[in-house]
C-alpha cells in the first residue's frame, strides 16, 4: 500500500494537480479540497490556482458543461438536480446556465418520457395512489420538474387503463 506524502514542494503540488485536472474536469472546490489535503499554505494555493487556470487545466465553465452533459446522458438526471449539484459545488449562476445549455430540449423531453415510462411499468403496486407516489418520488429525486412529473403520470395512467 502506498503511503500518502506528508509534504510537497510547489512544483510537486503543481504537477500532481495538473495530472488530477487532466484526468477529468474539476471545479475550484475540488482543487481547494485537494490542496488542503496536501497541507499547502494559502500563498502556495494561490500560485497553484493561477497556474492551473493560466494553463487551462482549471476552467469552471468547461467543468459545468461536461458535468451537465455527463449527469444527463449517463445518470439521466433532470435539470433541477443538475443545477442543485452544481450549486453545491459553488459554481456561478452564469456557468450553471452555460452547463444546462448543453442539454437540448428535444433530448430532455425524450429522456424524461423514457425514464418515466420505464419506471411506471417497473413499479408493481396494486394501489394506484401508492404507485403514483413511488414513481413521482423517483422522478422528482432525479431532478425533473414537478409539473411535468404529474402531467406525465396522468397520461401514463390513462394509457394503461385503456
Amino acid at each position: 500500500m502506498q503511503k500518502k506524502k506528508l509534504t510537497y514542494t510547489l512544483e510537486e503540488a503543481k504537477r500532481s494537480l495538473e495530472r488530477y485536472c487532466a484526468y477529468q474536469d474539476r471545479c475550484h472546490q475540488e482543487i481547494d479540497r485537494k490542496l488542503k489535503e496536501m497541507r499547502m499554505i494559502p500563498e502556495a494555493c494561490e500560485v497553484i490556482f493561477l497556474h492551473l487556470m493560466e494553463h487551462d487545466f482549471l476552467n469552471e465553465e468547461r467543468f459545468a458543461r461536461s458535468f451537465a452533459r455527463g449527469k444527463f446522458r449517463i445518470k439521466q438526471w433532470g435539470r433541477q438536480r443538475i443545477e442543485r449539484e452544481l450549486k453545491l459545488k459553488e459554481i456561478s449562476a452564469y456557468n450553471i446556465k452555460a452547463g444546462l445549455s448543453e442539454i437540448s430540449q428535444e433530448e430532455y423531453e425524450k429522456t424524461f418520457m423514457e425514464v418515466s415510462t420505464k419506471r411506471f411499468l417497473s413499479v408493481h403496486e396494486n394501489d394506484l395512489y401508492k404507485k403514483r407516489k413511488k414513481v413521482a418520488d423517483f422522478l422528482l429525486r432525479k431532478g425533473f420538474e414537478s409539473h411535468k412529473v404529474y402531467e406525465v403520470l396522468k397520461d401514463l395512467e390513462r394509457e394503461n387503463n385503456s
Side-chain angles (χ1 to χ4, degrees), residues 110-121:
K110 182 179 175 237
T111 301
F112 173 66
M113 285 307 296
E114 286 172 2
V115 169
S116 4
T117 305
K118 184 178 175 185
R119 188 62 177 200
F120 188 83
L121 296 174

Side-chain angles (χ1 to χ4, degrees), residues 33-54:
R33 181 183 43 77
K34 200 76 164 161
L35 286 166
K36 283 183 178 131
E37 284 175 13
M38 297 169 102
R39 298 187 193 98
M40 299 300 288
I41 60 172
E43 292 80 10
C45 292
E46 215 171 286
V47 170
I48 292 169
F49 263 110
L50 283 171
H51 171 79
L52 293 173
M53 286 189 281
E54 283 172 3

Side-chain angles (χ1 to χ4, degrees), residues 98-149:
L100 292 174
S101 73
E102 290 290 305
I103 304 167
S104 76
Q105 190 60 35
E106 301 82 44
E107 195 178 0
Y108 188 74
E109 294 295 330
K110 182 179 175 237
T111 301
F112 173 66
M113 285 307 296
E114 286 172 2
V115 169
S116 4
T117 305
K118 184 178 175 185
R119 188 62 177 200
F120 188 83
L121 296 174
S122 72
V123 172
H124 301 292
E125 182 66 60
N126 293 332
D127 186 350
L128 186 61
Y129 294 105
K130 285 183 181 177
K131 182 173 186 166
R132 185 187 300 160
K133 171 135 178 56
K134 286 181 180 183
V135 176
D137 288 349
F138 172 79
L139 293 171
L140 292 170
R141 262 193 319 276
K142 281 269 195 186
F144 292 105
E145 296 80 357
S146 58
H147 67 278
K148 282 182 177 243
V149 168

